[in-house]
Amino acid sequence: MYIDSHCHINFPDLAARLPEILDKMTENCVSHALCVSVNLPDFPQVLALAEQYPHIYASVGVHPDYEDTPEPSVEQLVALADHPRIVAIGETGLDYFRLQGNLEWQRERFRTHIRASRMTGKPLIIHTRSASEDTIRIMREEGANPEAGGAAGVMHCFTESQEVADAAIALGFYISLSGIVTFKSAKALQEVARTIPLERMLIETDSPYLAPVPHRGKTNEPGLVRHVAEFIADLRGISVEEVARHTSDNFFRLFKMAKRDLC
């Protein structure tokens, strides 16, 4: 069985055909999925999906790309996370690719999420793009690692260097690979994917974006996460069953409130 550790099935293009999406998860042996929050106004939709379907879990957080949106406080995130279906804080992090100028508000928002994670004990889902140095620095400063008393977490949709992967793993984080790893242009990322310890690897779709080969360019969905696992298995010369077993075990190890036997 496979698990999609990061998707956005509340987004309109997937929500409109949710029964089909869920059926395709079953057809493709995808047992669970984590629907990830990107802003507070849409958070009720994310939570509602997790409350309705026992194999769907949810997070709470505000994405760094959302500039004109209600800013969360630590107290607000802690309160919203106090729910058995909320297994993580995020997605959060830094993105210097899409937005430019004075991005101190992004860094402060990131710190807010890390503090909420520490208070709740729920892991962080971190997005970083063109900002890895500041991302790792703030993680260290705010104690975003188990040894500093914080929760663990995941670097989602990882596209960074081996050095960044090593730094995140040293902080107790997992590395999640998306459909990007299957792209012909992703040679550097594929080399990173060869070396990440299986005990620290997750797989995801980030759907509706980044559909893996052979579906690249189409709308992504959780059922396609098996293609990510199959590609990684071929890349590493191991069985897809081994990738599925490790990434599923890692999901439940990281997101401790998720229950393996609900589906």
Side-chain angles (χ1 to χ4, degrees), residues 3 55 67 85 103 119 147 179 188 198 228 238 248 252:
I3 296 178
H55 60 313
E67 185 172 8
R85 305 300 298 172
L103 298 181
M119 290 183 68
E147 289 189 2
L198 286 175
V228 179
I238 59 178
S248 296
F252 294 110

Side-chain angles (χ1 to χ4, degrees), residues 158-255:
F158 191 81
T159 57
E160 302 294 332
S161 67
Q162 184 70 55
E163 181 181 10
V164 176
D166 291 343
I169 291 170
L171 288 170
F173 274 64
Y174 291 75
I175 305 297
S176 182
L177 297 168
S178 70
I180 292 176
V181 76
T182 71
F183 297 174
K184 290 182 179 180
S185 59
K187 298 301 183 185
L189 178 60
Q190 289 165 10
E191 289 306 309
V192 175
R194 292 181 196 272
T195 64
I196 296 170
L198 286 175
E199 293 76 15
R200 287 291 172 178
M201 182 185 293
L202 296 174
I203 54 175
E204 64 172 270
T205 61
D206 202 14
S207 52
Y209 312 115
L210 305 173
V213 175
H215 300 277
R216 187 175 182 182
K218 300 178 182 179
T219 300
N220 203 2
E221 60 183 80
L224 298 182
V225 77
R226 67 177 301 155
H227 294 291
V228 179
E230 289 167 353
F231 185 89
I232 293 169
D234 287 344
L235 191 68
R236 296 178 68 121
I238 59 178
S239 70
V240 69
E241 290 80 11
E242 187 173 358
V243 174
R245 176 173 57 82
H246 277 285
T247 55
S248 296
D249 287 348
N250 293 341
F251 180 87
F252 294 110
R253 188 177 299 115
L254 175 61
F255 302 110

Side-chain angles (χ1 to χ4, degrees), residues 41-111:
D42 293 336
F43 169 70
Q45 301 170 8
V46 176
L47 178 58
L49 288 171
E51 289 179 326
Q52 183 174 359
Y53 300 102
H55 60 313
I56 304 297
Y57 286 93
S59 71
V60 59
V62 181
H63 194 291
D65 284 352
Y66 285 64
E67 185 172 8
D68 298 320
T69 193
E71 196 67 37
S73 66
V74 173
E75 294 75 17
Q76 187 175 21
L77 289 173
V78 169
L80 292 172
D82 187 19
H83 190 291
R85 305 300 298 172
I86 303 300
V87 301
I89 302 292
E91 66 186 281
T92 183
L94 303 176
D95 193 321
Y96 297 169
F97 180 82
R98 293 189 179 92
L99 298 175
Q100 299 180 358
N102 184 357
L103 298 181
E104 184 59 27
W105 62 269
Q106 263 195 16
R107 292 183 282 274
E108 285 304 309
R109 181 183 290 176
F110 187 25
R111 293 180 188 276

